[in-house]
Amino acid sequence: MDAQPTPTFSALIRIGQIITFALIQGLILIAAVMTYMTLSSADQREAVAQEMAAEEREPAGAGDLVLPGIATAFTAISLAAAFFLPPTIRKAAVQRFRAEQSGGFTVPDGDDPIEGPMRYLSGGDQAARIVTSAIFEGVGVMGSILMMIQGDLLFLIFPAIGIAGIASQFPTLTKVQDWMRQIASQPASLSS
């Protein structure tokens, strides 16, 4: 049985980039399909609304703000999670790295294999980016679904927020190396 080769640092970054592109592509597809469904059912919704007697229709009021309120609250909670979760994940990765790595370390180049304690740092950064991207994907999917339910294209702001948030997590060799340089320059007592 052959041993699997150790992935290089740049290969791990490429995997993160592929995941990021896939999440963005999926969110764009969901938003596009839901937009099509919303627009194609708009005529039917208008016909039903015209048939209803004026007294049977719900007047503009609190009922009209329920779905936008849910979307705004969900987005606010998600943004808070996207702000607080990645540092927690990265801190745990740094602590595991420092527990196994004695002394300083050199930030890997793109062709360096990721092995030993370095896998904690690279994996922690990648996990933080994927978790954050998944949170933003949730915001976008939620907005797409509520747009279809409400029939209001204004809900497309939520998929746009989701796509922008996922794109902000796009990993590059330089971004990850800069984070690792920060870790390398910190004393072991300040692992974060």
Side-chain angles (χ1 to χ4, degrees), residues 55-133:
E55 62 272 0
E56 292 176 348
R57 284 190 228 151
E58 181 179 347
D64 295 336
L65 299 176
V66 171
L67 291 181
I70 290 170
T72 303
F74 182 80
T75 301
I77 292 167
S78 296
L79 291 176
F83 182 76
F84 289 110
L85 264 173
T88 304
I89 293 169
R90 286 186 176 102
K91 183 176 182 176
V94 170
Q95 288 172 343
R96 287 191 74 188
F97 170 79
R98 295 212 189 234
E100 288 192 26
Q101 175 75 24
S102 58
F105 69 96
T106 304
V107 175
D109 288 329
D111 295 331
D112 291 343
I114 300 299
E115 51 192 9
M118 187 56 69
R119 69 183 184 276
Y120 296 125
L121 286 184
S122 56
D125 179 74
Q126 189 169 46
R129 290 178 190 280
I130 291 170
V131 166
T132 304
S133 295

Side-chain angles (χ1 to χ4, degrees), residues 27-59:
L27 191 50
I28 289 171
L29 179 64
I30 289 168
V33 168
M34 297 290 192
T35 301
Y36 173 78
M37 292 172 71
T38 300
L39 292 174
S40 65
S41 66
D43 294 337
Q44 186 179 20
R45 246 189 251 113
E46 185 64 32
V48 169
Q50 288 176 357
E51 289 177 13
M52 292 177 69
E55 62 272 0
E56 292 176 348
R57 284 190 228 151
E58 181 179 347

Side-chain angles (χ1 to χ4, degrees), residues 147-182:
M147 172 189 60
M148 194 177 75
I149 292 170
Q150 183 92 9
D152 190 349
L153 294 179
L154 189 59
F155 282 96
L156 282 174
I157 189 73
F158 297 103
I161 290 169
I163 290 167
I166 295 169
S168 74
Q169 297 303 307
F170 187 79
T172 64
L173 187 61
T174 306
K175 280 183 189 178
V176 179
Q177 285 175 325
D178 288 346
W179 175 68
M180 288 183 174
R181 282 186 192 94
Q182 290 175 349

